[in-house]
Amino acid sequence: MLRFLIRRSLGAVVILLIISAVTFFLFYAVPRDPAMLACGKNCTPDALEVIRKNMGIDEPVPVQYWHFMVGIFAGRDFAAGACPAPCFGYSFANQDPVWETILDRFPTTVSLTIGGAVVFLLIGLGAGMIAAWKKGTLIDKAFSSLSLVLSSMQIYFIGPLVLALVVYNLQLLDQPKYVPLTEDPAGWFMGLLIPWLVVQIIFTANYTRLSRSSMIEQLQEDHVRAARAKGMSGRYVFFRYAWRGSLIPIVTIFGVDLGSLFGGAMITEWTFSLPGLGTLAVNSVQNTDLPMVMGVMLFAATFIILFNIIVDAAYAFIDPRVRLS
């Protein structure tokens, strides 16, 4: 296990370096100059030079990249003041510290991601197990047909429809918003309920089909047949043997989906006007704000990689036959 974690950690560092380099150098392929945008219409060459120096973009691009990477681990000095590690610099748009802005937006994104994942896991796995238990019945056919329909939905399509129906027409719930969990747990739950339900509609369909097929396959395994031959009850065999074995492919997909849900938060947050990392990333790209774009990209990539490492390590605990070397 230790060797596995060390190897994956080293691989994660290489991936993050590649992401940071590609993002940094692609930024300068954009024709918009952040210094010119900040200088305004009546900009003079001297004023432009001062702005470039204050932004830290008055040096060659490779040197800027080196200073950026060093600043993450050792801190960095700017015209706006000292930036302690981890330093991602200051926003070109409003001079706010990038790291503090990310930490301020992070609770919204992580609440949306984790809460949505819990909802679609509970509903998806539950529906899939019921469909497998009732294989061939009307319930099984209904769940299977509904999952096929819902899996074709997209957040940017179904989100506005749910808002129009539930919030504006029927007025059953208020407009989605983020309230800190520590301040108002009930407000936090109700404010994110609609985004969670919309997210689960899309993901639940896939998990219903996957858990159903995986459970049916496990029920045909030799060890499950042997357990039944020993006289164990069908319910006990279903949950003790078949259900546990069916989790392996689900955990694999869940690691990918959790990363995509976190990384694709910009679509959900933009749809429901939530102030998270996704919205911050979109605004930063529109404003040609390199420090903020770099900070959000590396922060999100780190968590996506971390999710996948945790999922891979969880295999050995779910199935004793799996060993990580």
Side-chain angles (χ1 to χ4, degrees), residues 243-265:
W243 181 76
R244 185 175 181 179
S246 69
L247 289 180
I248 294 296
I250 294 173
V251 168
T252 304
I253 300 301
F254 178 68
V256 177
D257 286 343
L258 190 60
S260 64
L261 184 60
F262 186 88

Side-chain angles (χ1 to χ4, degrees), residues 165-182:
L165 177 64
V166 177
V167 177
Y168 303 123
N169 291 341
L170 300 180
Q171 298 182 351
L172 297 177
L173 294 172
D174 295 331
Q175 175 75 23
K177 60 181 179 180
Y178 175 74
V179 178
L181 175 63
T182 54

Side-chain angles (χ1 to χ4, degrees), residues 278-297:
T279 306
L280 179 63
V282 173
N283 293 333
S284 300
V285 171
Q286 292 176 342
N287 295 328
T288 321
D289 193 346
L290 174 61
M292 200 66 73
V293 171
M294 288 291 297
V296 174
M297 285 288 294

Side-chain angles (χ1 to χ4, degrees), residues 5-58:
L5 293 177
I6 293 175
R7 187 171 65 250
R8 289 300 302 269
S9 299
L10 292 176
V13 171
V14 174
I15 293 174
L16 290 175
L17 287 174
I18 294 174
I19 292 175
S20 66
V22 171
T23 305
F24 197 95
F25 287 97
L26 280 180
F27 176 84
Y28 287 93
V30 179
R32 300 175 65 186
D33 186 350
M36 287 294 296
L37 295 176
C39 193
K41 295 182 179 180
N42 300 321
C43 184
T44 63
D46 292 338
L48 184 62
E49 185 64 27
V50 171
I51 292 175
R52 288 183 180 276
K53 185 174 182 179
N54 292 339
M55 287 183 170
I57 57 175
D58 58 328

